[in-house]
């Protein structure tokens, strides 16, 4: 690495420190020519590839802002959201890939959000997974209930009283959850609709 003072082409690492959260390394370097010292920070690159094909650096803030609206009116704190964003980043970095599809980012959000708050999860999932009908909500709720029943059965076995509330208030399909900053602008064309499928229309034979 070039010395930022004299542009000498080389430098020597005199100290290395990993940050508390383990995501960055600070290196103290010394220039063998002018002897001055400087610091470099090393971070594994993690980019998100958007639907448009453009890439942008992964950002926990974007995860938080993308999920926050789905959490409106729910008992979810800023700390909860920060922790969720951290989990998402850990999951994505765990894939070992430097570039992540925006769709994968959404998938990585669903799991921790479901644990955090079921209503917020349903709101987010309905936007992210393009829920189109009550049947989609129904399927998601059925799956939530099945998991909850399993949890409660386990809790009952171990003697605790479970005490979870029913999921009757879970659905809010009023569009209120349409809040992700990464919300797909180009909605998926599922059934062709009017037939005006544009330049992507399959031409066969
Ligand atoms: Zn120098």
């Amino acid at each position: 690495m070039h010395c930022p003072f004299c542009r000498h082409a080389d430098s020597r690492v005199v100290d290395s420190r990993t940050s508390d959260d383990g995501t960055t390394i600070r290196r103290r370097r010394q220039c063998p020519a002018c002897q001055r010292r400087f610091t470099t920070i090393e971070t594994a690159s993690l980019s998100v590839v958007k639907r448009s094909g453009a890439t942008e650096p992964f950002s926990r803030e974007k995860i938080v802002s993308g999920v926050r609206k789905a959490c409106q009116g729910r008992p979810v704190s800023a700390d909860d959201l920060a922790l969720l964003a951290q989990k998402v980043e850990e999951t994505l970095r765990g894939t070992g890939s430097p570039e992540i599809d925006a769709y994968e980012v959404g998938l990585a959000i669903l799991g921790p959000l479901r644990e955090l708050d079921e209503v917020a999860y349903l709101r987010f999932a309905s936007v992210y997974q393009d829920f189109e009908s009550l049947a989609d909500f129904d399927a998601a709720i059925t799956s939530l209930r099945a998991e909850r029943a399993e949890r409660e059965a386990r809790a009952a076995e171990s003697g605790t009283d479970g005490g979870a509330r029913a999921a009757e208030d879970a659905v809010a399909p009023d569009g209120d959850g349409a809040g992700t900053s990464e919300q797909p602008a180009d909605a998926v064309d599922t059934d062709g609709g009017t037939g005006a499928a544009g330049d992507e229309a399959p031409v066969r034979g």
Side-chain angles (χ1 to χ4, degrees), residues 3 5-8 31 33-36:
C3 167
F5 302 104
C6 73
R7 311 298 302 162
H8 185 74
C31 172
C34 70
Q35 307 302 322
R36 284 199 266 192

Side-chain angles (χ1 to χ4, degrees), residues 12 28 30 35 60 62 102 108 139-140 145 148-149 163-164 172 187 197 199:
R12 184 169 68 84
R28 197 79 183 126
Q30 185 168 31
Q35 307 302 322
R60 287 192 195 179
K62 285 214 166 142
R145 283 202 174 120
R148 174 177 290 184
D199 54 9

Side-chain angles (χ1 to χ4, degrees), residues 16 33 42 49 69 103:
S16 269
E42 188 177 301
V49 184
K69 194 164 180 192
Y103 186 79

Side-chain angles (χ1 to χ4, degrees), residues 13-35:
V13 175
V14 293
D15 186 36
S16 269
R17 251 171 237 191
T18 305
S19 64
D20 288 341
D21 64 0
T23 59
T24 58
I25 294 177
R26 297 169 67 88
R27 293 191 205 281
R28 197 79 183 126
R29 294 170 180 269
Q30 185 168 31
C31 172
C34 70
Q35 307 302 322

